[in-house]
DNA sequence: TTGTAAGCGTTATCAC
DNA sequence: GTGATAACGCTTACAA
């Protein structure tokens, strides 16, 4: 294994000088640097980041802890974040909690032991709050993403209330009153999407019946559940507020022989290219921006050294927008 | 920053003993370990992986170098690989070359400096062969994925010849003779998919005309190009052999008012859930398996220490299969 | 079973 | 500008 010592020997300089040649902040004679770099190249020398991290007390690694990749949203953000982080000299460590607190725990521990400089993560439960607090000891900056579980952490998430409101509002404006919204069971009681839905419905003077809000978990057969609920309620429109349920909802419509938009209107949450192909309206997120914004924000946190005083958590809302295509029909009240 | 020394002090043992308590291979009295672990817990101690890596000369990191996330295939594999690697105590470093040799170079360098234990990667060009060769000096195991660019590297890829053959063969069996295959321009001249297509066509005694093979690059308007080609050739079936062109091809059919399968049959390469929804036949890959297989294979490479002698490269082909739905109509010869 | 001491490959500090 | 020397926080002999 070639080390800076070997390079030093060949270049006839001290090991310290080799180290200097590989950092641009340092005082070093241009010619010396050139000689060192040549020697390094000749020997096939690559600096050892572990040693560097150990000494500098910064790993130049960002930990990304997602739940899974079920959603195009996460994969797009991942790639964007990776690109931005890399542009700034950081490497990305990728993990998935799978919505399981014990996996979240394992990964947070792993991040701490890796001495990552920052963590972007989708919190699963407050079960691992001790670890979140422990990050502070190691000067690891943590950014909550998507969910706002810890009130004292900086947070970056989609304004789902607005997203669902915008979609529902569009439906009510088009004359719809019996709207079925589908949401994940996990979010029951704390769903901002349901809040947005309610607000729009109230504003339109539409009746808010419990049957209009369908909570589903992924394991049960969602298509059947939706078909059942739809044939019961006979809604004029469906708002699939989780990408997990969009295809099942579409399937349910197909099973009930309900054409979109003739027989039923449809809006999906989270846009993608095949929804575009099928001319289905969707609540979309400015993905390119989001990745850049999260990255910049975390990098700023990392580079600021305000260890003193109380930290006022920053909460940044990302505004989604409705992409109108042709899956919503205007109907008569 | 709490170190093993602090823990040692509190537990009234030597620092070595603390180190031992955190590894299960070592001789240590159960009670001592218990005392140490308690002390560690009390102090909020987390072992420092950089120090560990430096000393042990293994980072327990796997570098994953993909081109991008345009394809569901890669995201699924990523999650699967991450999961398997984590089960075996490895962390995943994720990067994207974006098909650019200079980015590939930068990431390979980064992996080497990180002293990753293994690399799974989609090679972009042989421009960075020096780095691929350099990995050997650092005992970094490299696994090519998807593409077989270096004949001396272990390799894991989809049998695209078979995939395209199977799809085309199915079409010819259903009576089709004028089949338009769409392939990426990058692969022109070296496309195994085109090979498979040709073989099936030959076997069916179908005429192989150049117009039947459409090479496209992503930047130009693929929908128009496909629509143009289709209205020219008037194929009875389309085989979109790259997921990049599936939606454009579908769009082209829509634009030409060609219904599937009544007016035109269709098979897509790379399956996904919305193709299922649209009842479109597709060449699918055993994704769950693939992630597990790649991971196991790389881990075996890492754990084997056959530094001696010449290494016989292992080439593993993954067999895709055709998922028949209802986008192919039987027609009369 | 436990402790001592050396060293992994860097960077930081301080001379010169 | 450059070089010696001491860490960084672990693991690995080797000794007790």
């Amino acid at each position: 294994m070639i080390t800076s010592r070997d390079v030093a020997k060949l270049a006839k300089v001290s090991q310290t000088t080799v180290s200097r040649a590989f950092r641009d902040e340092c005082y070093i004679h241009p010619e010396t640097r050139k000689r060192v770099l040549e020697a390094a190249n000749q020997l096939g020398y690559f600096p050892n980041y572990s040693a560097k991290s150990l000494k500098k007390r910064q790993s130049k690694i960002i930990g990304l802890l997602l739940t899974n990749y079920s959603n195009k949203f996460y994969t797009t953000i991942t790639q964007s974040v990776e690109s931005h982080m890399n542009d700034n000299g950081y490497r990305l460590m990728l993990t998935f909690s799978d919505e399981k607190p014990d996996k979240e725990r394992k990964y947070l521990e792993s991040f701490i032991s890796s001495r990552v400089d920052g963590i972007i993560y989708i919190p699963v439960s407050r079960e691992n709050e001790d670890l979140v607090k422990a990050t502070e000891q190691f000067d690891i900056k943590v950014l909550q993403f998507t969910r706002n579980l810890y009130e004292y952490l900086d947070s970056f998430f989609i304004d789902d209330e607005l997203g669902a409101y915008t979609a529902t509002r569009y439906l009510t404006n088009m004359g719809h009153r019996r709207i079925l919204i589908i949401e994940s069971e996990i979010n029951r009681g704390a769903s901002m999407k349901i809040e947005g839905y309610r607000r729009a419905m109230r504003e339109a003077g539409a009746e808010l019946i419990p049957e209009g809000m369908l909570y589903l978990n992924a394991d049960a057969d969602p298509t059947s559940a939706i078909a059942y609920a739809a044939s019961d309620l006979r809604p004029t429109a469906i708002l699939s507020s989780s990408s997990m349920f969009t295809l099942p909802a579409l399937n349910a419509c197909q099973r009930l022989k309900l054409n979109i938009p003739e027989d039923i209107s449809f809006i999906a949450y989270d846009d993608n290219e095949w929804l575009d192909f099928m001319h289905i309206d969707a609540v979309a997120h400015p993905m390119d921006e989001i990745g850049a914004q999260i990255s910049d924000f975390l990098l700023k946190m990392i580079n600021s050294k305000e260890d003193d005083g109380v930290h006022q958590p920053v909460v940044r809302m990302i505004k989604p927008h409705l992409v109108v295509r042709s899956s919503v029909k205007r109907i008569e009240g």
Side-chain angles (χ1 to χ4, degrees), chain A:
Chain A
M1 186 91 45
I2 306 297
T3 73
S4 53
R5 276 216 150 62
D6 303 311
V7 179
K9 210 173 291 174
L10 182 64
K12 294 193 203 307
V13 291
S14 75
Q15 184 271 329
T16 309
T17 301
V18 176
S19 171
R20 275 197 269 257
F22 276 86
R23 289 169 290 159
D24 28 46
E25 340 110 19
C26 273
Y27 297 94
I28 186 175
H29 195 95
E31 277 197 17
T32 315
R33 160 168 286 146
K34 201 183 145 213
R35 208 168 69 242
V36 169
L37 260 32
E38 264 167 15
N41 201 43
Q42 190 180 325
L43 291 173
Y45 166 75
F46 291 83
N48 185 321
Y49 285 173
S50 293
K52 185 176 179 140
S53 297
L54 178 59
K55 187 68 198 175
K56 295 202 66 170
R57 293 152 164 281
Q58 53 162 316
S59 61
K60 288 284 181 179
I61 295 178
I62 301 296
L64 184 58
L65 177 43
L66 305 175
T67 54
N68 57 53
Y69 261 175
S70 62
N71 194 326
K72 177 93 184 164
F73 179 70
Y74 297 127
T75 62
T76 311
I77 300 293
T78 300
Q79 198 179 335
S80 168
V81 166
E82 193 285 323
S83 167
H84 282 272
M85 285 308 180
N86 172 58
D87 288 346
N88 288 277
Y90 286 83
R91 281 127 60 230
L92 198 71
M93 199 157 269
L94 179 71
T95 61
F96 301 96
S97 70
D98 230 355
E99 301 283 3
K100 301 204 179 81
D102 58 320
K103 283 196 115 186
E104 177 181 58
R105 181 161 202 87
K106 204 174 158 189
Y107 283 124
L108 287 176
E109 284 173 344
S110 165
F111 284 164
I112 295 175
S113 280
S114 301
R115 301 291 192 271
V116 297
D117 296 328
I119 296 176
I120 299 171
Y121 96 121
I122 303 177
V124 167
S125 81
R126 283 191 79 131
E127 230 171 84
N128 302 311
E129 182 158 13
D130 54 328
L131 293 180
V132 172
K133 289 206 164 132
T135 58
E136 217 175 323
Q137 308 295 320
F138 296 91
D139 197 34
I140 298 173
K141 310 296 183 181
V142 181
L143 190 59
Q144 278 178 113
F145 181 49
T146 302
R147 296 173 192 158
N148 195 7
L149 228 66
Y150 298 98
E151 65 285 352
Y152 49 83
L153 282 186
D154 294 304
S155 178
F156 226 101
F157 61 99
I158 309 287
D159 191 345
D160 284 329
E161 200 275 343
L162 178 67
Y165 170 80
T166 307
T168 313
R169 179 79 206 214
Y170 179 64
L171 288 169
T172 59
N173 281 348
M174 294 292 268
H176 295 269
R177 288 298 177 272
R178 238 171 28 258
I179 303 169
L180 177 66
I181 182 171
I182 307 163
E183 170 60 303
S184 181
E185 180 66 56
I186 325 172
N187 299 330
R188 173 172 238 142
S191 168
M192 295 315 292
K193 291 167 183 168
I194 293 290
E195 289 306 311
Y197 167 84
R198 297 180 106 110
R199 177 157 69 99
M201 291 292 270
R202 265 199 313 275
E203 284 184 13
E207 194 189 357
L208 269 167
I209 52 170
E211 293 77 25
M213 290 161 267
L214 179 62
Y215 293 94
L216 250 46
N217 37 24
D219 2 321
D221 175 7
T223 301
S224 298
I226 296 167
Y228 186 80
S231 55
D232 192 40
L233 180 69
R234 303 206 158 275
T236 62
I238 291 182
L239 171 55
S240 164
S241 77
S242 164
S243 63
M244 209 190 310
F245 301 124
T246 297
L247 235 14
L250 254 14
N251 265 316
C253 294
Q254 203 172 63
R255 195 185 289 182
L256 297 174
K257 303 215 188 312
L258 262 25
N259 287 323
I260 297 172
E262 294 78 18
D263 308 320
I264 195 160
S265 293
F266 198 103
I267 299 184
Y269 210 90
D270 296 337
D271 197 22
N272 61 45
E273 65 270 287
W274 52 266
L275 284 170
D276 183 47
F277 173 73
M278 297 199 268
H279 312 297
I280 290 174
D281 296 16
V283 178
H285 315 295
M287 313 242 229
D288 294 331
E289 270 182 53
I290 297 176
Q293 279 195 43
I294 302 176
S295 306
D296 288 347
F297 190 72
L298 186 61
L299 288 173
K300 256 181 212 131
M301 287 166 70
I302 291 172
N303 295 323
S304 82
K305 29 193 153 205
E306 39 109 352
D307 304 76
D308 43 72
V310 193
H311 172 73
Q312 271 298 332
V314 176
V315 175
R316 195 86 121 242
M317 295 267 229
I318 299 149
K319 296 210 180 310
H321 60 276
L322 184 67
V323 177
V324 174
R325 294 194 262 249
S326 57
S327 64
V328 174
K329 189 177 80 166
R330 179 178 294 282
I331 62 172
E332 301 309 315

